[in-house]
Amino acid sequence: MIQSQALAILKTGANVFLTGEPGSGKTYLVNQYVAYLRSAGIEPAITASTGIAATHIGGMTIHSWSGIGIKTKLDKSDLNKIVLNKYIAKRVRRAKVLIIDEISMLLPGMLSMIDAVCRAVKQRPEPFGGMQIILVGDFFQLPPIVRRADDNNGQAELIEKLPSLFAYDSSSWAKLNPTVCYLTEQYRQDDSNFLEILSSIRRNIFDDNHLRRIETRKIEYLSAPAGVPKFFSHNIDVNRVNEEMLAQLSGAPKTFFMFSQGPDSLAAALKRGCLSPETLSLKIGAAVMFTKNNPNSGFANGTLGMVTGFDKTSGYPIVRTRNGRRVSVKPMDWTIEEDNKARAKITQLPLRLAWAITVHKSQGMSLEAAVMDLSAVFEFGQGYVALSRVSRLTGLYLLGWNERAFQVHPEVLVKDKFFQLASKETEEKFAKIPPFKLEKMSDDFIADCEEKEDF
């Protein structure tokens, strides 16, 4: 399915699961739909399963938005407290469109809890209280991080315990029965050879022929190209490399501190999701990566560069990007907004040291090149996420890998075939609807949102 078809379906108010391979433009399409809604006077609830993903789409975590926070289960008392929280209740009640990005990293029980909160606050029996739900993500990418929770209070849970990792196994997903829009265009990779390798991993047909092509990109650590970020599976390796490389540069570092405004809990959520660190130390010669989009200034999240100096007046760094552009970097804001007002804000330079980064934090990025150590990957999809960050095979430099690096979850392989088939059926169904009827459906949805405005 192409983006224009998916956007037309979203505009009808249908509940949608928007999926597709890395680089297929899911986030871009979501931003298009958000702009359309706002032009019609409707403010969507923009959320994501992780703080990092939330910063990519200018939203907040679904855990914060729903009032669930760090809870792993809900009993009646928990639910009543959320319903009686005036601010959360108002936020949920007023929402007509709820977007949840990186749905692959949301546990099924959490999706059911969100459903329960929405139904309780809106006092409507329909799934999620009757609002339009847009679930965005790719289950071939990183799965949820599962933590063990204590269960000693003996309270009855409102939400079933599920053995599956994936949100699509939630009973709330089944009741919602979202229309599947599987994007098939590719906007990140422009190398057919590399695309074939990525496709082979995704389809579980990665073989010796693909491995031989991968092996051509193997390098030794000391021969890694300068200024290209390194991906590791664990934070300890990332921190070690960045600290070692910064220490090797001459001169004293200049340090920049993050500032925050708003409730501590919301500010803390923004900090966890922000790729820029709370304390950023830089020197001339430091390899850096931009952590925010600013097309007018010539950089995007993932743009690489090097610090070439510091402004004599402001003290802020001057960065030369890899395409030769000179950028005078100034602090930027990450905000949690509601009703076009900032509830919380953090301010920091949109930079981080770029000698190394974890695979988890790379999800959603597009890079020209990266050095990767995949020898310690421990999750299905972790290697696939890392590899799909770069646009072509010549931009890939591999230090090593293990068998898991080229594997995706076997359960997702089966489910993905269902999603592809469902998307084709969606295309056929909507192709039969005349354009004037689609337009009327869109107009009716906007009108319905306006009529049901809750305060």
Side-chain angles (χ1 to χ4, degrees):
M1 181 180 294
I2 63 175
Q3 288 187 355
S4 59
Q5 291 173 316
L7 182 59
I9 292 169
L10 288 171
K11 288 180 179 180
T12 66
N15 296 316
V16 168
F17 170 42
L18 178 64
T19 189
E21 298 183 14
S24 59
K26 296 183 291 293
T27 299
Y28 174 79
L29 182 56
V30 167
N31 288 334
Q32 278 191 307
Y33 186 52
V34 168
Y36 164 77
L37 291 173
R38 286 174 172 166
S39 69
I42 297 168
E43 183 61 32
I46 307 171
T47 73
S49 61
T50 68
I52 294 171
T55 63
H56 291 169
I57 59 173
M60 62 195 300
T61 66
I62 186 62
H63 308 72
S64 296
W65 181 87
S66 63
I68 295 170
I70 62 172
K71 292 182 178 65
T72 57
K73 61 185 179 181
L74 281 182
D75 57 33
K76 290 183 179 179
S77 175
D78 295 326
L79 189 58
N80 286 337
K81 287 178 182 178
I82 293 174
V83 172
L84 292 175
N85 183 306
K86 293 181 179 179
Y87 198 90
I88 294 172
K90 181 180 179 182
R91 174 164 64 214
V92 175
R93 198 163 51 242
R94 295 185 67 176
K96 301 300 176 292
V97 179
L98 172 61
I99 298 166
I100 307 178
D101 196 13
E102 296 293 6
I103 192 64
S104 71
M105 298 188 74
L106 197 71
L107 285 164
M110 177 58 70
L111 187 66
S112 293
M113 286 192 282
I114 297 160
D115 177 23
V117 167
C118 293
R119 285 185 284 109
V121 170
K122 288 179 173 288
Q123 297 183 6
R124 293 174 181 167
E126 308 100 296
F128 298 88
M131 73 176 94
Q132 183 190 29
I133 303 298
I134 302 167
L135 308 173
V136 186
D138 175 20
F139 286 102
F140 278 114
Q141 298 194 53
L142 294 169
I145 298 171
V146 180
R147 297 183 176 89
R148 291 186 176 274
D150 294 330
D151 190 17
N152 300 321
N153 57 17
Q155 293 176 315
E157 296 177 35
L158 294 176
I159 306 306
E160 72 272 26
K161 288 184 177 179
L162 294 168
S164 174
L165 272 178
F166 302 109
Y168 56 68
D169 278 327
S170 165
S171 60
S172 294
W173 183 296
K175 292 172 185 175
L176 185 69
N177 191 25
T179 297
V180 179
C181 294
Y182 202 123
L183 299 180
T184 54
E185 294 175 303
Q186 179 55 242
Y187 295 94
R188 180 178 297 152
Q189 280 84 30
D190 56 7
D191 177 348
S192 59
N193 185 28
F194 189 41
L195 272 172
E196 184 189 341
I197 294 172
L198 293 176
S199 178
S200 73
I201 297 173
R202 190 179 181 93
R203 294 162 55 202
N204 196 32
I205 57 171
F206 185 85
D207 58 21
D208 290 342
N209 178 50
H210 299 115
L211 181 59
R212 281 193 291 271
R213 280 182 269 176
I214 286 289
E215 287 174 338
T216 66
R217 305 309 303 163
K218 191 174 189 306
I219 62 168
E220 297 298 322
Y221 185 86
L222 294 178
S223 63
V228 175
K230 297 179 175 67
F231 287 6
F232 295 94
S233 53
H234 294 81
N235 273 308
I236 189 170
D237 297 310
V238 168
N239 294 336
R240 172 182 53 80
V241 169
N242 282 332
E243 290 169 6
E244 287 176 354
M245 296 298 291
L246 188 67
Q248 289 176 18
L249 298 177
S250 62
K254 287 187 178 291
T255 303
F256 304 88
F257 299 96
M258 180 181 289
F259 297 96
S260 63
Q261 297 178 20
D264 290 343
S265 60
L266 294 181
L270 281 171
K271 290 177 183 178
R272 286 194 299 271
C274 183
L275 288 174
S276 289
E278 291 189 56
T279 302
L280 175 64
S281 294
L282 299 174
K283 294 180 181 179
I284 294 176
V288 292
M289 178 171 63
F290 284 88
T291 60
K292 204 167 174 62
N293 296 322
N294 190 334
N296 292 334
S297 295
F299 61 83
N301 182 21
T303 297
L304 299 172
M306 184 179 72
V307 176
T308 58
F310 295 91
D311 187 273
K312 293 181 180 179
T313 302
S314 67
Y316 294 137
I318 299 168
V319 173
R320 186 180 71 249
T321 64
R322 294 192 72 191
N323 65 5
R325 182 158 188 159
R326 181 180 179 275
V327 180
S328 296
V329 187
K330 297 178 176 60
M332 294 183 71
D333 297 332
W334 287 257
T335 60
I336 291 176
E337 293 187 359
E338 198 156 18
D339 299 331
N340 293 319
K341 296 180 181 178
R343 283 206 65 209
K345 178 174 71 173
I346 58 173
T347 304
Q348 176 60 293
L349 292 173
L351 295 173
R352 66 168 293 129
L353 293 176
W355 287 291
I357 190 171
T358 63
V359 172
H360 273 79
K361 288 190 175 181
S362 75
Q363 186 156 305
M365 292 182 174
S366 296
L367 299 171
E368 294 179 4
V371 178
M372 302 179 190
D373 185 354
L374 304 181
S375 60
V377 299
F378 52 90
E379 288 180 345
F380 286 113
Q382 200 172 15
Y384 178 64
V385 165
L387 293 167
S388 60
R389 295 311 94 198
V390 297
S391 58
R392 57 189 65 88
L393 190 61
T394 54
L396 176 64
Y397 302 90
L398 281 172
L399 301 175
W401 56 82
N402 61 17
E403 186 177 354
R404 180 58 61 89
F406 309 117
Q407 295 177 348
V408 290
H409 202 290
E411 181 184 325
V412 175
L413 280 166
V414 176
K415 194 68 178 181
D416 191 65
K417 293 177 181 177
F418 166 80
F419 288 142
Q420 290 189 51
L421 179 61
S423 182
K424 289 179 181 177
E425 292 174 351
T426 298
E427 283 188 71
E428 293 171 0
K429 174 184 174 182
F430 277 83
K432 295 176 182 177
I433 302 175
F436 76 90
K437 282 192 177 181
L438 277 177
E439 187 173 348
K440 186 178 186 304
M441 291 168 71
S442 301
D443 292 341
D444 289 346
F445 172 61
I446 296 297
D448 186 56
C449 287
E450 294 171 345
E451 289 173 7
K452 291 182 179 179
E453 187 69 30
D454 296 320
F455 294 93

